[in-house]
């Protein structure tokens, strides 16, 4: 089998099974593990998969600059945002991570919504301009332009003093065993801290995030309270989350 054929097979297996185990594949193809690992290294260098111990996982296709993400899966994000907005009750204190899916929550809030919104995303804060009964608290810090959110020591200091009811976490990968992941180490640390200061954590996940993995873990399955997915997601893709005690809501 040619190198290009092996790589295509690896990507097909990732798409079908959600993982590739190097030892198993080497036995099936009657090749050395070193050959399979070399293929995995080269595919990872091209950004086509994420290497993990013993093999590889699908890489999240949403780990791209925010300007590009704004045009991805727009209808799906709108449906997810509507479902997320329905979780917010009057008088709650809600933390919003950055991200285009979370922005859709703001767009689906009723005009008379009454709650406190806390965010380290200037984009989210500006989107709340036309909600006169929502108190907006902005967390400052160093601007991480990829996601347009504040990170760093100043942000961490402010977050340490927050106690909230609900956190809408933004991630690029949602995996039953690898957990909640994102593409930047410093941003992952801020997300973990935000998660630790709220009673419940919810994630809005488009289909391309389910089963995908990014380099830095934010949390494990047990850290997630609610997962909101697209309405047409098949049961098999969310079964592990349901079994793990996560409340899974279908949007639309």
């Amino acid at each position: 089998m040619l190198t290009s054929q092996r790589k295509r097979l690896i990507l097909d297996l990732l798409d079908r099974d959600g993982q590739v185990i190097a030892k198993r594949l080497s036995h099936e193809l009657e090749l050395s593990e070193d050959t399979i690992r070399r293929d995995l290294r080269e595919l990872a260098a091209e950004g086509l998969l994420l290497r993990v111990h013993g093999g590889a996982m699908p890489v999240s296709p949403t780990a791209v600059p925010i300007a590009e993400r704004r045009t991805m899966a727009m209808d799906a994000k709108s449906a997810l945002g509507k479902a997320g907005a329905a979780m917010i009750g009057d008088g709650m204190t809600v933390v919003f991570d950055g991200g285009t899916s979370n922005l859709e929550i703001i767009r689906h809030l009723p005009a008379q919504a009454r709650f406190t919104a806390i965010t380290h995303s200037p984009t989210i804060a500006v989107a709340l301009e036309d909600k006169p009964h929502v108190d907006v608290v902005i967390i400052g810090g160093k601007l991480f332009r990829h996601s347009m959110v504040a990170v760093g020591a100043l942000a961490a200091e402010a977050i340490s003093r927050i106690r909230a009811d609900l956190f809408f976490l933004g991630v690029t990968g949602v995996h039953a065993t690898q957990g909640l992941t994102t593409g930047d180490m410093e941003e992952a640390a801020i997300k973990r801290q935000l998660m630790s200061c709220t009673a419940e954590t919810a994630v809005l996940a488009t289909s391309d995030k389910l089963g995908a993995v990014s380099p830095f873990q934010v949390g494990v399955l047990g850290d997630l309270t609610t997962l909101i997915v697209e309405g047409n997601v098949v049961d098999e893709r969310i079964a592990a989350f349901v079994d793990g005690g996560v409340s899974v809501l279908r949007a639309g």
Side-chain angles (χ1 to χ4, degrees):
M1 182 180 288
L2 298 174
T3 301
S4 59
Q5 292 175 314
R6 289 199 310 272
K7 289 181 177 179
R8 183 67 262 168
L9 174 62
I10 289 170
L11 295 176
D12 288 343
L13 288 172
L14 278 177
D15 186 54
R16 187 191 72 187
D17 301 335
Q19 65 177 352
V20 166
I21 299 174
K23 180 176 290 187
R24 181 188 302 167
L25 186 58
S26 69
H27 288 163
E28 291 175 357
L29 299 181
E30 297 182 349
L31 295 168
S32 69
E33 281 191 58
D34 286 341
T35 298
I36 300 301
R37 290 195 185 101
R38 184 177 64 246
D39 290 343
L40 296 180
R41 283 196 300 271
E42 292 175 359
L43 287 167
E46 296 176 48
L48 298 176
L49 54 76
L50 181 72
R51 293 185 67 207
V52 296
H53 180 71
M57 307 291 290
V59 68
S60 173
T62 61
V64 297
I66 194 167
E68 296 179 42
R69 298 202 303 274
R70 290 187 181 119
T71 61
M72 297 172 62
M74 295 173 66
D75 291 342
K77 290 176 183 177
S78 179
L80 296 174
K82 184 176 181 180
M87 295 180 63
I88 301 173
D90 286 351
M92 291 178 65
T93 298
V94 183
V95 179
F96 293 91
D97 202 350
T100 54
S101 294
N102 284 349
L103 187 59
E104 289 298 322
I105 299 174
I106 307 304
R107 291 174 175 162
H108 283 88
L109 289 172
Q112 298 303 311
R114 296 174 180 272
F115 66 95
T116 298
I118 302 175
T119 185
H120 63 145
S121 164
T123 306
I124 295 287
V126 169
L128 286 162
E129 178 186 7
D130 63 348
K131 302 296 185 291
H133 304 295
V134 177
D135 291 328
V136 182
V137 178
I138 304 174
I139 296 169
K142 179 183 178 182
L143 184 64
F144 179 52
R145 293 181 180 274
H146 176 85
S147 302
M148 289 301 291
V149 294
V151 297
L154 287 176
E157 168 64 20
I159 293 167
S160 69
R161 303 179 186 281
I162 292 171
R163 297 295 178 269
D165 300 301
L166 176 62
F167 174 37
F168 285 105
L169 167 67
V171 291
T172 54
V174 182
H175 195 281
T177 58
Q178 300 297 317
L180 311 168
T181 54
T182 194
D184 180 80
M185 181 172 61
E186 190 169 6
E187 188 182 17
I190 290 294
K191 291 176 186 291
R192 281 194 298 273
Q193 190 171 4
L194 285 167
M195 194 162 53
S196 71
C197 70
T198 53
E200 299 184 7
T201 297
V203 166
L204 280 60
T206 48
S207 294
D208 49 7
K209 293 182 181 180
L210 292 175
V213 181
S214 291
F216 299 100
Q217 188 181 69
V218 177
V220 297
L221 186 62
D223 294 320
L224 185 59
T225 309
T226 304
L227 177 65
I228 304 178
V229 300
E230 297 176 47
N232 60 356
V233 169
V234 297
D235 291 344
E236 289 79 3
R237 298 192 69 190
I238 58 175
F241 300 101
V242 175
D243 293 343
V246 178
S247 174
V248 179
L249 304 179
R250 294 180 182 271

